[in-house]
Amino acid sequence: MVTQSPLWHTPIQYAKGVGPRRARLLEKLGIVTVEDALWFVPWRYDDRVEVHSIGNLLPGMKATIRGRVERCRINTTSRRRLVVVTIMVRDETGVIECVFFNQPYLENTFAAGVTVLLTGTVSPNPNAQSFFLMKAPEYEVLDIEDSLESALGRIVPIYHETHGLSSKQIRRIMQSIFEQYSPCLQEILPDTMREQLRFPTISEALPVLHAPDQHQSVPLLNQHVTPEHQRLAFEELLLLQLALAMKRHRQVTATPGIVFAKHQKLHEQLQSVLPFSLTSAQERVIREIFQDMAQSTCMNRLLQGDVGCGKTVVALHAMVMACGSGYQAALMAPTEVLSEQHYWSLKPLFEALNISCVLLKGGQAGGERAEILANLKSGEVQVVVGTHALLQPDVRFSKLGLVIVDEQHKFGVLQRAMLREKASWQPDVLVMTATPIPRTLAMTWYGDLDVSVIDEFPPGKKPVHTKLFEAKSRNRAHQILRKELEAGRQAYVVYPLVEPSEKVDLQAAMEAVEYLREQFAPFRVGLLHGRLPSREKQSVMSQFQKKEIDLLVATTVVEVGLDIHNATVMLIEHAERFGLAQLHQLRGRVGRGQHQGHCLLIHSVGRIPSYNQQMSLRIDRSPGARQSPGRVSASAEVARSTAKRRLGVFAQLDDGFALAEEDLNIRGPGQVLGVQQWGAIAFRVADLARDVDLLSKARRIAQELLQRDPNLSFPEHHALKETLVRKWGEKLALGSIG
Ligand code: ADP
Ligand code: MG
């Protein structure tokens, strides 16, 4: 039976062989509709075209075997407390031992007598129960029906599983979905475009991915780079690029911006009060920003630049431009400590230029706050620096012309939009980030922004020395720390604060303070953490600034922006818990002055392979590997190995952009952008680490297409437009199109 309603409208529950219980399990994999199911492509393929006889196996060979389980036992190793399930498997030609780690439930799966299909690498068996051994092979339990048809003699798609739903079951469900629904598949790419790109139609592509015939190339399938994979990925990328381009086009045309004029005298004054001359990269991005600001369209620009490259002074120039034209400017920073630092460093410069500047923060006394708000509303005050506090509804401006958001990655897009709405017209917006964003992410997540990059450091900045220490050799790290303190320098010791265990970690930081006080007496040790009242935070910070504290123990509040030149050591505890970008931010806090900086990472993930060794490790890049919440194999072991990889890479790379690309590779966009933010994009097939070229192509084609047909009103674009509105209309607030 073929239904009339479109596939994206048909709940998976009604597909043959699914029902409510399985529908719930499928939902864990992100499959809610029949369309979702069809786009849920296998993450891997097993080449079972050839099944080997156990008697013909050789060590080193990657092989698929089929046999009966003779015996299954489970035990726990004493040393590492691994649960090991061991099975002996026999076919007509021989017997082989297979072991599985930390999957105790397999004891029930491999009951003696069942027939199994195993794919893995053959190694010699030290236990000599059999000649050979397979460690953690891919497995499948076969029933009679299977052994005759589906799983043998062909390329078998392997799906991400969830507890209660195996890859094999998913495969069966897919088969029946195909039989039932393939006639309803709708092609949305215009024929001419598709033919030019030599992509198959959707009806041609999906069967190849879900049920490849034996002539397909298994390596290409596994890398997700067959024309069929590319076809699906391209569709996703094209839709988003079209949506972003349309959004941008509207912003530019629908909302006229302010035409700022450069106040020559004010800017000359600014040059004369700055204690340094600008780098040429700073000069270039300031020019780009001035150009935007001078136009009648709204500025919407992202300023990227590594930690310490000097973004603040660029922001200062933009704010002076706004004030010089009679408008107000707001600078929003993600933490109080950082907004205070901005305020105190900018205030004297603004004062020298006769520009009034205030700090707005949580916890200001009622009277003080009321006065600030009144002055903002009347236009008395020209520049306000603050945190999210700026977003509160009672904060009103007289003539807000420029909004600058520092450390943009800490804020969501929504907050960006909220601040902008504070003006009765459209202020220009500049967002700044020290977390370099890989090009592909910038083109998608920030696709509606122009991008400026500061790719140069102020003179004299030296790369920080980075060293890894296992927790048991913490003393060696402490020696380096002590030497620096003795030389008159200052240091940070950072503890992670992860939400769920916040209390525990805070306790760890407090205990550390006691311990470090003893260890490093007579040096003075201070503590800064997120729960301190803001007055105390400020006082700890200023003590550190005045060198009344030598060693500052901190939770991640030092992550962004702090600028203390005498600090040369950044020691990070539980480094494995931090992401690459965070680590890089932290490292950027030291070595800012004339002295060599040291970044010391303490971790407990065991020996870390060298960078080059790491590069050869295989990573599962399929989107499902990172996104499906119910995925079984996302174990502690995987977390450990990605942490190892991350730390190894970090110790080796100094360039924020290179790190960002690696971060994307290792963790995937969800983690890089923040799960919530990424949740809004989450491609099903496209992979921003892999599909770089495809993305550029999609972007170019989207732009060309909109030039010819800005509202997608040509008949051949109807299907495309319908899908675009459905997928992105709401998320990107596109409103009505056409
Ligand atoms: P970030 O880009 O990380 O926000 P900051 O704006 O905090 O960097 O600048 C880092 C440090 O470099 C500050 O102490 C700042 O005064 C200094 N700085 C910025 N630009 C220059 C320059 N052109 N020459 C010398 N020092 C500079
Ligand atoms: Mg900064």
Side-chain angles (χ1 to χ4, degrees):
M1 185 204 67
V2 167
T3 56
Q4 292 306 307
S5 65
L7 298 183
W8 55 269
H9 210 256
T10 310
I12 189 69
Q13 178 174 345
Y14 302 133
K16 226 188 308 180
V18 178
R21 196 188 69 84
R22 283 188 161 177
R24 274 195 301 279
L25 294 173
L26 287 167
E27 195 178 335
K28 288 195 192 164
L29 295 167
I31 300 174
V32 178
T33 66
V34 168
E35 187 198 63
D36 294 334
L38 292 169
W39 280 73
F40 186 72
V41 303
W43 76 278
R44 217 173 48 73
Y45 296 81
D46 257 359
D47 188 351
R48 295 183 195 160
V49 174
E50 191 183 353
V51 174
H52 294 80
S53 304
I54 294 176
N56 293 339
L57 295 179
L58 291 170
M61 191 169 164
K62 172 145 190 189
T64 296
I65 56 163
R66 175 168 166 259
R68 273 161 55 91
V69 175
E70 268 195 347
R71 192 161 82 231
C72 173
R73 81 194 134 74
I74 181 164
N75 59 339
T76 306
T77 59
S78 52
R79 213 160 50 85
R80 284 176 60 203
R81 304 216 60 74
L82 270 180
V83 179
V84 184
V85 170
T86 309
I87 58 176
M88 298 296 290
V89 178
R90 182 180 290 284
D91 71 3
E92 302 79 45
T93 62
V95 64
I96 185 167
E97 187 176 272
C98 300
V99 292
F100 301 85
F101 305 104
N102 278 343
Q103 290 164 283
Y105 56 89
L106 288 182
E107 192 186 9
N108 302 325
T109 311
F110 296 130
V114 302
T115 301
V116 289
L117 198 62
L118 300 160
T119 305
T121 305
V122 180
S123 56
N125 191 354
N127 304 326
Q129 296 283 330
S130 62
F131 278 131
F132 297 130
L133 174 71
M134 273 190 191
K135 279 188 201 154
E138 294 294 331
Y139 64 89
E140 184 151 8
V141 174
L142 302 180
D143 43 38
I144 295 172
E145 190 191 326
D146 272 325
S147 48
L148 298 175
E149 43 101 26
S150 65
L152 287 183
R154 65 184 185 90
I155 299 170
V156 180
I158 311 290
Y159 294 91
H160 277 305
E161 306 183 333
T162 185
H163 197 67
L165 200 59
S166 68
S167 170
K168 187 169 83 173
Q169 289 166 318
I170 297 173
R171 203 152 66 223
R172 294 238 176 93
I173 293 172
M174 290 298 184
Q175 266 170 16
S176 83
I177 287 179
F178 261 104
E179 283 160 20
Q180 202 180 350
Y181 293 103
S182 54
C184 311
L185 280 169
Q186 193 201 9
E187 177 61 54
I188 68 165
L189 297 182
D191 285 341
T192 43
M193 179 196 299
R194 197 179 46 72
E195 279 156 17
Q196 253 169 26
L197 293 164
R198 305 205 184 147
F199 282 145
T201 64
I202 188 83
S203 317
E204 288 161 351
L206 287 174
V208 171
L209 301 180
H210 290 287
D213 68 36
Q214 55 177 328
H215 307 296
Q216 295 290 328
S217 149
V218 177
L220 289 186
L221 281 168
N222 273 331
Q223 290 163 45
H224 292 211
V225 292
T226 61
E228 289 76 18
H229 279 105
Q230 301 260 291
R231 156 71 183 73
L232 298 195
F234 178 80
E235 179 176 319
E236 289 184 304
L237 296 169
L238 179 71
L239 284 170
L240 178 58
Q241 290 304 320
L242 281 171
L244 287 168
M246 288 175 100
K247 183 181 170 78
R248 204 187 141 82
H249 182 70
R250 270 158 203 232
Q251 269 169 354
V252 169
T253 53
T255 46
I258 303 160
V259 179
F260 294 95
K262 195 168 160 185
H263 193 299
Q264 204 58 40
K265 202 164 136 254
L266 209 51
H267 281 274
E268 277 162 22
Q269 261 179 311
L270 176 58
Q271 299 311 331
S272 68
V273 294
L274 275 185
F276 45 72
S277 48
L278 298 173
T279 62
S280 56
Q282 284 169 325
E283 276 174 358
R284 172 171 43 78
V285 303
I286 289 172
R287 262 201 312 277
E288 287 166 358
I289 291 167
F290 282 0
Q291 263 166 22
D292 278 6
M293 292 181 72
Q295 272 174 20
S296 61
T297 51
C298 258
M299 171 165 76
N300 224 349
R301 188 168 281 277
L302 172 70
L303 174 59
Q304 288 199 51
D306 217 335
V307 183
C309 72
K311 292 182 292 298
T312 317
V313 68
V314 174
L316 172 66
H317 277 76
M319 290 190 282
V320 168
M321 171 111 157
C323 297
S325 303
Y327 287 87
Q328 293 171 300
L331 171 60
M332 182 163 81
T335 64
E336 261 181 26
V337 169
L338 186 56
S339 62
E340 301 231 2
Q341 183 186 286
H342 276 323
Y343 176 70
W344 292 111
S345 67
L346 292 173
K347 189 175 145 75
L349 296 167
F350 280 129
E351 270 169 6
L353 302 175
N354 258 327
I355 292 176
S356 55
C357 166
V358 293
L359 175 67
L360 185 73
K361 52 179 187 173
Q364 269 163 332
E368 192 187 354
R369 181 180 169 84
E371 192 190 329
I372 293 174
L373 294 186
N375 287 339
L376 277 175
K377 207 168 159 202
S378 69
E380 189 97 354
V381 158
Q382 291 162 284
V383 175
V384 59
V385 180
T387 57
H388 305 78
L390 293 179
L391 299 176
Q392 283 158 7
D394 58 347
V395 181
R396 292 271 153 232
F397 294 86
S398 142
K399 251 184 133 181
L400 180 61
L402 173 69
V403 169
I404 301 185
V405 185
D406 194 16
E407 307 300 346
Q408 156 70 15
H409 61 289
K410 297 264 146 188
F411 295 102
V413 187
L414 264 181
Q415 288 167 316
R416 208 201 302 163
M418 269 170 74
L419 197 52
R420 171 166 258 175
E421 278 154 18
K422 294 237 162 227
S424 35
W425 51 80
Q426 290 277 314
D428 280 10
V429 174
L430 176 67
V431 300
M432 311 198 291
T433 177
T435 305
I437 298 151
R439 202 162 56 91
T440 48
L441 277 191
M443 279 200 277
T444 43
W445 185 241
Y446 294 106
D448 57 334
L449 300 175
D450 293 307
V451 180
S452 287
V453 180
I454 306 184
D455 49 5
E456 182 185 352
F457 284 100
K461 189 179 179 288
K462 303 184 211 69
V464 173
H465 289 168
T466 304
K467 289 211 175 78
L468 302 170
F469 299 90
E470 286 189 56
K472 60 184 184 218
S473 0
R474 181 179 287 107
N475 275 340
R476 289 189 8 239
H478 280 181
Q479 276 163 20
I480 299 176
L481 177 62
R482 181 186 309 280
K483 252 183 144 164
E484 290 293 310
L485 293 178
E486 282 166 357
R489 305 284 86 76
Q490 287 163 283
Y492 300 95
V493 172
V494 171
Y495 279 80
L497 260 200
V498 188
E499 297 294 343
S501 55
E502 198 175 341
K503 275 197 191 129
V504 181
D505 289 313
L506 187 53
Q507 198 183 346
M510 281 168 154
E511 280 165 16
V513 170
E514 292 312 313
Y515 173 78
L516 293 168
R517 277 197 182 125
E518 258 169 52
Q519 279 281 308
F520 290 96
F523 293 108
R524 293 150 301 182
V525 180
L527 173 64
L528 186 68
H529 63 80
R531 293 208 181 166
L532 282 181
S534 79
R535 187 127 39 83
E536 271 177 61
K537 265 190 219 163
Q538 187 48 40
S539 109
V540 174
M541 275 316 303
S542 75
Q543 280 174 286
F544 193 58
Q545 215 143 17
K546 287 186 260 171
K547 200 169 181 302
E548 293 163 10
I549 289 175
D550 303 293
L551 200 168
L552 183 63
V553 177
T555 58
T556 49
V557 282
V558 294
E559 185 189 327
V560 278
L562 288 190
D563 188 25
I564 290 171
H565 287 196
N566 191 47
T568 56
V569 178
M570 171 60 66
L571 187 149
I572 304 173
E573 290 283 350
H574 297 291
E576 70 276 8
R577 293 215 225 150
F578 292 86
L580 267 178
Q582 271 182 315
L583 289 174
H584 187 61
Q585 287 273 347
L586 288 169
R587 177 163 63 184
R589 299 299 114 223
V590 296
R592 299 191 140 215
Q594 79 249 42
H595 305 289
Q596 177 63 52
H598 302 270
C599 180
L600 313 173
L601 305 165
I602 315 277
H603 65 87
S604 42
V605 291
R607 203 186 68 79
I608 293 180
S610 77
Y611 181 64
N612 288 338
Q613 282 169 323
Q614 304 235 1
M615 289 297 103
S616 60
L617 297 180
R618 175 178 155 200
I619 6 172
D620 173 8
R621 287 188 159 170
S622 64
R626 308 183 185 117
Q627 284 153 17
S628 66
R631 190 169 168 242
V632 181
S633 58
S635 62
E637 194 50 44
V638 172
R640 247 163 90 99
S641 76
T642 62
K644 268 189 193 192
R645 195 179 148 98
R646 203 158 64 226
L647 293 175
V649 165
F650 180 71
Q652 197 72 26
L653 291 182
D654 192 47
D655 168 1
F657 275 93
L659 276 176
E661 299 282 349
E662 275 308 319
D663 203 22
L664 180 60
N665 256 318
I666 298 173
R667 295 194 304 159
Q671 297 296 316
V672 173
L673 273 178
V675 175
Q676 263 180 333
Q677 309 206 10
W678 180 248
I681 294 190
F683 297 119
R684 293 187 277 206
V685 179
D687 175 340
L688 294 182
R690 180 194 58 219
D691 298 325
V692 181
D693 295 340
L694 208 53
L695 174 60
S696 307
K697 212 181 271 178
R699 193 175 172 82
R700 181 173 49 76
I701 290 174
Q703 278 157 0
E704 286 166 7
L705 195 123
L706 289 176
Q707 239 157 36
R708 279 185 290 124
D709 183 12
N711 279 314
L712 298 181
S713 46
F714 296 176
E716 67 266 35
H717 297 154
H718 276 177
L720 202 52
K721 177 165 166 180
E722 209 175 79
T723 314
L724 182 151
V725 171
R726 167 162 67 89
K727 294 227 154 112
W728 296 109
E730 210 173 307
K731 281 184 191 161
L732 292 181
L734 285 173
S736 66
I737 293 179

